[in-house]
Amino acid sequence: MQMLTNRSKAVDRHPMTVWEKMYLPAIAKGMSITLSHFFKKKPTINFPEETRPFSPVFRGLHILNRDEEGRENCTACGLCAVACPAEAITMEAAERKEGEEHLYREEKYAAKYEINMLRCIFCGLCEEACPKDAIYLSETFAPSNYKREGFIYGKNDLLIPDPKKEPELYQKAVGERARKK
Amino acid sequence: MIQLAIDLAFVLEKAILIGGIISVSLLVAMYSTWAERKVAGFMQDRLGPNRAGPFGLFQPLADGLKLFMKEEIIPNASNKFLFILGPGLAMMTAMMTSAVIPWGKQIEIFGRTVDLQIADINIGILYIFAVLSMGVYGIMIGGWASNNKFSLLAALRGASQMISYELAMGLSIIALLMLTGSLSLKTIVELQSASGGWWNIAYQPLGFLIFIVCAFAECNRTPFDLPEAENELNFGYHQEYSSMKLGFYLFAEYINMFMSSVLMATLYFGGYDIPFVNDASLIESMGMNLVAVLQGLSLFLKAAFFIFVFMWVRWTIPRFRYDQLMHLGWKVMIPLALFNMLITAIVVLIRENGWPF
Ligand code: SF4
Ligand code: SF4
């Protein structure tokens, strides 16, 4: 028969020789193999203590961005909510008052901004839709929770730390991905 | 009238010894479960349990706690008395072997010389075989009392396996007994540790091989773990058991493993003999108690090595089919043991009578 590849092997069915019938050499060979594995380096990553680096295109938990002065970027235009294929985003807009210029960059801002992480499919379309550079997908993922309500992330959970007040936390939250842009 | 004069100090001494040995065996069995999982992990390029405490050292405690917390289920149709007796018997027979094993030579406390052996009976090996064959009852009763066909079949499987391998094991021991001429374990160890004496493994390599294979079968360890083949043969005789009663069965297995390791070390590897040094001269230079500790340690290390071998084999060799198991037991092991006996007998005869021809 014509072989398609040369990788196939015929099954060897010759009767066992005396040496093979003794089993013990084969057992010794097997045991030496397992023992060699005993001393091999383990590829395990001890998860909570060690983490694997994320790929540069990883899309994780959202963050709501601030500008250099610590003002919220989002203007509650709703484009992200429209773009979202999973309909995970809801928001309520409010108008910026006198004296709130240091809090919000635009005249209109999101008074309430919620993402349901159980609905979200982490596609990143919200990030692409945003005209104000206000939403990013970061390099963490949503931690587990006992309740469904716990997965609805409000503004407190999403907002990035203030770059002026907590610069280190801010840098950490920005992560590698945002810096690359 | 015969007065039974028992020295109170003697009773106390034995009680302490029994308590100590039992707790050590339990501790060893406990940490064997941990070691088993670690060894399994390492051999499969994993890390094994490492979350509970440093290196996962509290894992056995967590496991035990889990077993205690589980719901205790006794099947309605089962024989309740036997159902509870089963695991108890398994555990008890596992522990009973330890009585005749010499754990060290002697120690001196408060002017008393204490033998580190619970009972130095002159039929030590017979006693061990008697106890070992009682281990079958734990399995049989457990399987029978569950009132479950699968349990019963598994129990039958286990019992017939143990009985068949006990034969070959006994025959391999007989060859050893011909050499040492004594059934007392203490004498056997002393012969090996005497200056100029070799460990029995040097005289009985084949006998040891047969013994270790049979010990695997006796302890229901892979490759002979058919009585409790979890995945393909429906878990075996403790199928109906839950909670700590199941724990007892599993635990008894580990104690058995420890005891057979100690036995192998005692019979073939010099027991508490410290290798490469003369124990008698060591006693003179270091004192009796310190040497006894070292001897205990040496026996323990030997046993630990055999426990490792048990685990090593478990994670290397796949399980036998039942007919292969019986074939190996009856058609290979027993003739081999008989052959070994024959050779030993000839050698012993020649050595004692000189070359007769
Ligand atoms: S990542 Fe996709 S699914 Fe999630 S909120 Fe943004 S647009 Fe919606
Ligand atoms: S996050 Fe961006 S797209 Fe969404 S409402 Fe705010 S400004 Fe608009």
Side-chain angles (χ1 to χ4, degrees):
Chain A
M1 201 182 83
Q2 180 81 45
M3 294 280 182
L4 288 176
T5 64
N6 53 6
R7 272 174 302 189
S8 58
K9 277 189 202 150
V11 180
D12 186 5
R13 291 201 197 280
H14 77 85
M16 282 197 280
T17 59
V18 178
W19 181 251
E20 283 168 331
K21 262 190 195 154
M22 275 172 62
Y23 292 116
L24 287 175
I27 287 176
K29 195 171 149 206
M31 303 230 325
S32 70
I33 290 173
T34 40
L35 193 67
S36 76
H37 276 267
F38 194 84
F39 297 110
K40 271 195 188 140
K41 204 178 161 297
K42 312 290 175 244
T44 311
I45 291 168
N46 283 311
F47 167 60
E49 293 96 43
E50 296 166 30
T51 44
R52 233 165 43 182
F54 287 119
S55 93
V57 290
F58 182 81
R59 297 189 296 262
L61 209 59
H62 310 68
I63 45 175
L64 278 175
N65 215 357
R66 297 178 193 264
D67 65 2
E68 310 81 58
E69 286 143 60
R71 300 179 298 184
E72 290 172 22
N73 277 359
C74 176
T75 182
C77 64
L79 284 177
C80 50
V82 173
C84 178
E87 301 188 349
I89 305 179
T90 50
M91 72 190 74
E92 267 166 30
E95 205 172 331
R96 184 178 71 185
K97 302 268 165 40
E98 286 283 323
E100 284 182 337
E101 285 86 357
H102 66 290
L103 289 178
Y104 312 107
R105 197 174 69 178
E106 313 291 338
E107 281 160 25
K108 190 173 145 227
Y109 70 96
K112 200 176 129 202
Y113 191 99
E114 275 179 358
I115 303 181
N116 186 339
M117 293 298 168
L118 288 177
R119 299 199 63 137
C120 176
I121 54 170
F122 300 95
C123 62
L125 287 182
C126 45
E127 175 180 326
E128 255 160 58
C130 182
K132 296 289 180 188
D133 233 14
I135 191 158
Y136 275 111
L137 267 63
S138 69
E139 286 163 343
T140 50
F141 32 82
S144 51
N145 211 307
Y146 287 111
K147 287 201 174 120
R148 284 176 169 261
E149 295 84 66
F151 285 105
I152 299 174
Y153 280 51
K155 253 175 90 174
N156 314 351
D157 311 300
L158 294 169
L159 262 176
I160 197 164
D162 197 318
K164 277 172 140 180
K165 287 184 201 144
E166 300 154 310
E168 287 120 54
L169 281 178
Y170 174 79
Q171 283 303 326
K172 207 175 145 213
V174 165
E176 288 301 315
R177 196 159 168 263
R179 240 172 262 147
K180 259 187 211 107
K181 287 211 165 173
Chain B
M1 202 181 101
I2 304 165
Q3 277 256 302
L4 212 66
I6 296 178
D7 189 359
L8 191 68
F10 176 78
V11 172
L12 204 68
E13 158 198 321
K14 291 296 177 202
I16 291 172
L17 203 58
I18 291 170
I21 286 171
I22 285 184
S23 32
V24 167
S25 328
L26 287 179
L27 203 72
V28 169
M30 217 165 108
Y31 274 92
S32 301
T33 64
W34 172 83
E36 171 108 83
R37 295 164 73 172
K38 273 286 185 198
V39 169
F42 271 67
M43 289 197 167
Q44 294 165 356
D45 293 341
R46 297 183 283 112
L47 288 177
N50 63 353
R51 290 288 128 176
F55 304 109
L57 274 175
F58 299 147
Q59 191 69 40
L61 296 179
D63 287 342
L65 195 68
K66 185 203 99 174
L67 279 173
F68 273 115
M69 306 276 267
K70 288 250 165 163
E71 190 188 350
E72 190 94 38
I73 298 170
I74 299 182
N76 269 339
S78 70
N79 182 330
K80 301 230 165 34
F81 175 67
L82 290 181
F83 193 76
I84 296 169
L85 185 70
L89 209 61
M91 195 75 169
M92 195 180 77
T93 50
M95 300 292 314
M96 264 162 72
T97 330
S98 63
V100 291
I101 290 170
W103 301 88
K105 206 171 173 67
Q106 281 163 337
I107 52 169
E108 238 177 24
I109 309 176
F110 309 126
R112 278 181 71 89
T113 319
V114 180
D115 280 341
L116 285 181
Q117 185 179 18
I118 295 176
D120 180 19
I121 44 180
N122 54 5
I123 48 158
I125 290 182
L126 278 186
Y127 168 83
I128 283 179
F129 274 97
V131 171
L132 269 185
S133 46
M134 261 174 72
V136 180
Y137 285 103
I139 292 183
M140 263 323 275
I141 288 178
W144 172 258
S146 305
N147 201 2
N148 174 329
K149 292 187 196 92
F150 294 107
S151 300
L152 183 61
L153 282 175
L156 279 177
R157 220 161 50 216
S160 54
Q161 169 186 332
M162 282 177 110
I163 289 167
S164 353
Y165 277 83
E166 227 154 64
L167 268 175
M169 194 183 212
L171 289 175
S172 74
I173 287 290
I174 287 178
L176 184 74
L177 296 183
M178 286 176 178
L179 278 178
T180 56
S182 165
L183 280 165
S184 151
L185 286 167
K186 195 166 183 108
T187 322
I188 291 176
V189 171
E190 266 159 14
L191 277 175
Q192 293 179 79
S193 61
S195 53
W198 289 64
W199 288 354
N200 282 335
I201 177 77
Y203 304 118
Q204 286 284 328
L206 185 60
F208 172 68
L209 198 69
I210 296 165
F211 189 85
I212 194 170
V213 170
C214 295
F216 277 96
E218 287 286 305
C219 296
N220 296 332
R221 296 281 304 184
T222 331
F224 307 104
D225 61 342
L226 290 143
E228 46 179 292
E230 292 98 340
N231 28 22
E232 60 270 58
L233 290 177
N234 223 334
F235 206 51
Y237 55 89
H238 39 44
Q239 190 178 31
E240 296 286 354
Y241 282 88
S242 61
S243 181
M244 205 51 207
K245 287 210 275 303
L246 173 67
F248 262 38
Y249 269 127
L250 301 181
F251 214 63
E253 187 192 319
Y254 282 96
I255 297 176
N256 269 331
M257 198 166 91
F258 175 54
M259 287 308 162
S260 348
S261 303
V262 171
L263 207 59
M264 276 189 268
T266 308
L267 291 177
Y268 290 97
F269 285 84
Y272 54 71
D273 179 33
I274 307 169
F276 310 122
V277 291
N278 191 340
D279 286 25
S281 59
L282 208 62
I283 287 177
E284 269 162 34
S285 60
M286 287 170 75
M288 201 179 255
N289 290 358
L290 198 60
V291 172
V293 170
L294 283 180
Q295 283 174 335
L297 209 66
S298 132
L299 177 62
F300 192 77
L301 284 181
K302 285 171 195 171
F305 172 75
F306 282 115
I307 291 180
F308 176 74
V309 172
F310 267 95
M311 290 168 184
W312 185 8
V313 167
R314 171 161 184 189
W315 299 107
T316 305
I317 303 172
R319 182 177 294 138
F320 276 105
R321 217 170 50 210
Y322 196 67
D323 60 326
Q324 291 169 334
L325 174 103
M326 281 298 160
H327 180 273
L328 183 72
W330 288 96
K331 294 197 198 152
V332 180
M333 281 301 159
I334 292 179
L336 216 58
L338 283 171
F339 174 71
N340 184 42
M341 216 167 101
L342 188 74
I343 298 283
T344 316
I346 292 173
V347 170
V348 168
L349 263 185
I350 290 175
R351 215 171 54 177
E352 282 180 5
N353 304 339
W355 192 247
F357 310 112

